[in-house]
Amino acid sequence: MDRGAFAEDEAARAMALPGTRTGGERRRAPRVGVLKRAKIVAGDTILDCVVLNSSVRGARVRVAQPVVPPERVELHFAGGGVFPARRRWVRGLEIGLEFVGEATLRREAAELAWAAYEALRDGQLEEAMRRLRAVRFFDDEALREAAEAAEAARARLETLLRERAQGRHP
């Protein structure tokens, strides 16, 4: 499993709010509005924050109290993604972060993703879905949509096969 790509996709697609791009966007990677819980981690210091917008290159976050974090931090998303970042600016309660380095999943999140993958590979869709729902699909909207589409497709296939077996044809 490519954990770096998984985590990178999480930031880019994480619960996007339609039509929330800022006007006059000049960034190389436009940011999309999100409202996601996260933590800014620097050594033993942990700051709770809310991610306001995000792209594959960075994020704008809001903290509860004015603070200037160290230049190098990690942004930990609730779904397990860990993004090495550099503080670019601070304005009141908002902080601009630039992602640097390779994004990963926290060890426990990666282990949960692997367990869901193995359950799916072994034909245990219900178990895979149970595991994914327990971690809110790692807050990855694309993963949630794909998993729910697979679940719906299986239910439709079961219904059609049952109807055929009972001699009913639409």
Side-chain angles (χ1 to χ4, degrees):
M1 177 178 175
D2 184 356
R3 295 181 306 171
F6 179 86
E8 184 174 303
D9 288 346
E10 179 179 8
R13 295 188 306 250
M15 297 173 50
L17 300 174
T20 55
R21 277 184 44 189
T22 56
E25 183 69 67
R26 293 182 309 202
R27 293 180 178 89
R28 289 181 285 175
R31 293 194 178 173
V32 176
V34 299
L35 289 175
K36 265 184 95 103
R37 291 178 299 130
K39 295 181 184 302
I40 297 172
V41 178
D44 292 337
T45 303
I46 300 173
L47 301 169
D48 288 323
C49 65
V50 174
V51 179
L52 302 174
N53 65 40
S54 180
S55 77
V56 296
R57 294 174 122 10
R60 179 171 56 106
V61 303
R62 179 173 289 148
V63 293
Q65 299 174 1
V67 63
V68 177
E71 181 183 356
R72 296 287 185 159
V73 298
E74 290 180 337
L75 184 61
H76 291 228
F77 282 88
V82 177
F83 294 79
R86 176 181 311 134
R87 172 185 38 84
R88 301 299 290 174
W89 53 264
V90 175
R91 293 185 193 111
L93 300 178
E94 294 186 2
I95 301 168
L97 299 173
E98 174 187 12
F99 297 142
V100 295
E102 184 176 336
T104 61
L105 280 178
R106 288 191 301 270
R107 180 181 201 128
E108 64 275 9
E111 289 170 357
L112 288 167
W114 191 257
Y117 165 77
E118 287 181 328
L120 185 60
R121 185 189 64 201
D122 293 341
Q124 301 172 11
L125 179 60
E126 292 85 8
E127 176 62 15
M129 291 297 292
R130 184 188 68 73
R131 290 176 182 269
L132 290 170
R133 281 192 174 102
V135 292
R136 292 188 314 272
F137 300 94
F138 301 105
D139 295 324
D140 185 318
E141 188 67 18
L143 179 61
R144 183 193 60 76
E145 288 174 4
E148 290 177 351
E151 192 175 43
R154 179 180 179 172
R156 178 156 164 68
L157 179 60
E158 287 175 355
T159 298
L160 290 171
L161 289 172
R162 185 176 50 252
E163 288 174 356
R164 298 301 190 278
Q166 294 171 347
R168 294 184 296 179
H169 297 275

